[in-house]
């Protein structure tokens, strides 16, 4: 399937070069994320992007290519797994795939040791799109959510990887508990999996910002809309999946 976000550089990368960057995020999710970043630009929501758990840069490069001139990105990773060479791979993929490297900061750090100021510092402003894909323990995810929340644009989006992954069932509990403490925030979209190595993502924003994104996603991707929504007690989130369908009951 050819995927399209509406940003030519992202669409070329995702459809032609994505597999040349080893990683764990799906093409489908990269396209939805880039579309949301395009929507932000159209709405005048300017800001930077950040990622915890950048690895070789598969998803990071898609986000970097979705930035407007003057916007910056920061990629954070311990860059230890499977070896420190992973950082060199990231840098060479960014060069090869047309990322404005001068606008990118690659931070070798454990996010547990960082403050929000450490992330906002190199960016010089608020973050409009923050992807969290680092340490997959509930405690670390809660910390990373706190980092992102403190520096997010009021209409910005936090995107969480590996939600509903069979290997990390308690991450969803951590998100739910974090949302109880941040009633201004909600999940507005579940981006479904393509495969077990590219599990669903949640996209979160403030309640009042959800309307900026929801209908636009439904208008642009009706063929991927799973009509039974995602239930969050006080609200529902839309579900986008590459293969929307219900079980056939004979
Ligand atoms: C699943 S990989 C990320 C995949 C990548 N985002 C992609 O789209 O292909 C998870 C990454 O998180 C990094 N990581 C794990 N714990 C971390 C921590 N506490 N701080 C920063 N990075 C961490 C790992 O080194 C690893 O590179």
């Amino acid at each position: 399937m050819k995927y399209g976000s509406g940003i030519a550089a992202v669409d070329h990368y995702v459809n032609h070069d994505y597999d040349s960057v080893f990683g764990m995020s799906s093409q489908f999710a990269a396209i939805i994320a880039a579309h949301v970043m395009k929507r932000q630009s159209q709405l005048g929501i300017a800001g930077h992007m950040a990622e915890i758990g950048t690895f070789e840069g598969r998803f990071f490069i898609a986000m970097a290519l979705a930035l407007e001139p003057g916007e910056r990105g920061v990629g954070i990773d311990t860059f230890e797994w499977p070896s420190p060479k992973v950082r060199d791979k990231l840098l060479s993929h960014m060069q090869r795939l047309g990322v404005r490297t001068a606008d990118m900061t690659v931070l070798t750090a454990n996010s547990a040791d960082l403050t929000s100021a450490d992330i906002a510092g190199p960016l010089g402003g608020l973050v409009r799109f923050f992807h969290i894909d680092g340490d997959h323990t509930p405690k670390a995810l809660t910390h990373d959510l706190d980092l992102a929340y403190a520096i997010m644009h009021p209409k910005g989006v936090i995107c969480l990887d590996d939600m509903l992954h069979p290997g990390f069932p308690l991450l969803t509990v951590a998100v739910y508990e974090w949302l109880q403490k941040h009633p201004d925030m909600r999940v507005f979209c579940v981006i479904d999996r393509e495969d077990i190595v590219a599990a669903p993502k949640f996209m979160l924003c403030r309640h009042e910002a959800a309307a900026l994104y929801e209908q636009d996603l439904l208008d642009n991707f009706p063929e991927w809309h799973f009509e039974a929504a995602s239930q969050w007690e006080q609200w529902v989130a839309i579900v986008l999946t590459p293969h929307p369908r219900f079980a056939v009951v004979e």
Side-chain angles (χ1 to χ4, degrees):
M1 188 192 300
K2 281 261 182 191
Y3 291 120
S5 70
I7 301 176
V10 177
D11 295 350
H12 186 275
Y13 164 61
V14 170
N15 288 302
H16 296 96
D17 294 313
Y18 204 69
D19 289 342
S20 72
V21 182
F22 183 57
M24 295 83 177
S25 289
S26 72
Q27 289 175 296
F28 183 67
I31 285 296
I32 302 291
H35 175 90
V36 166
M37 290 181 72
K38 186 183 82 158
R39 170 84 177 147
Q40 291 180 324
S41 302
Q42 288 168 340
L43 291 167
I45 301 169
H48 308 290
M49 75 78 173
E51 182 179 54
I52 296 172
T54 298
F55 192 56
E56 285 195 21
R58 179 179 265 206
F59 200 76
F60 184 78
I61 289 167
M63 292 190 297
L65 293 173
L67 290 171
E68 292 290 317
E71 295 178 328
R72 301 179 54 82
V74 60
I76 300 156
D77 203 299
T78 51
F79 295 115
E80 289 167 335
W81 178 78
S83 84
K85 285 189 189 149
V86 67
R87 190 179 193 278
D88 300 332
K89 286 191 180 177
L90 165 67
L91 297 176
S92 102
H93 290 319
M94 289 199 302
Q95 288 275 1
R96 176 172 65 87
L97 294 165
V99 172
R100 298 191 316 260
T101 49
D103 293 335
M104 300 299 131
T105 300
V106 175
L107 213 54
T108 302
N110 184 325
S111 66
D113 300 330
L114 295 179
T115 64
S116 297
D118 295 328
I119 302 172
L123 294 173
L126 296 175
V127 174
R128 66 175 167 112
F129 199 95
F130 201 127
H131 185 225
I132 298 179
D133 192 8
D135 182 340
H136 283 29
T137 61
K139 185 177 172 200
L141 175 58
T142 303
H143 173 76
D144 292 349
L145 274 163
D146 288 341
L147 288 178
Y149 179 76
I151 53 171
M152 78 178 260
H153 185 291
K155 293 176 181 161
V157 170
I158 301 175
C159 183
L160 306 179
D161 187 62
D162 279 340
M163 298 294 106
L164 310 170
H165 189 298
F168 309 106
L170 294 184
L171 291 187
T172 317
V173 179
V175 174
Y176 183 75
E177 288 175 356
W178 187 86
L179 286 169
Q180 300 300 303
K181 293 185 190 140
H182 297 83
D184 56 326
M185 295 286 291
R186 56 166 289 190
V187 176
F188 71 91
C189 181
V190 178
I191 310 172
D192 195 23
R193 73 172 60 244
E194 271 180 1
D195 188 89
I196 195 164
V197 294
K201 295 188 196 284
F202 290 168
M203 288 199 285
L204 283 62
C205 67
R206 293 213 163 93
H207 281 274
E208 59 272 22
L212 302 176
Y213 302 114
E214 285 169 321
Q215 193 57 49
D216 172 72
L217 286 169
L218 296 178
D219 290 345
N220 281 280
F221 303 118
E223 71 277 28
W224 295 334
H225 181 214
F226 177 64
E227 288 179 13
S230 176
Q231 307 292 324
W232 287 84
E233 287 193 335
Q234 309 297 323
W235 71 86
V236 296
I238 60 173
V239 179
L240 298 178
T241 174
H243 307 292
R245 64 194 187 280
F246 293 96
V248 177
V249 180
E250 298 292 335

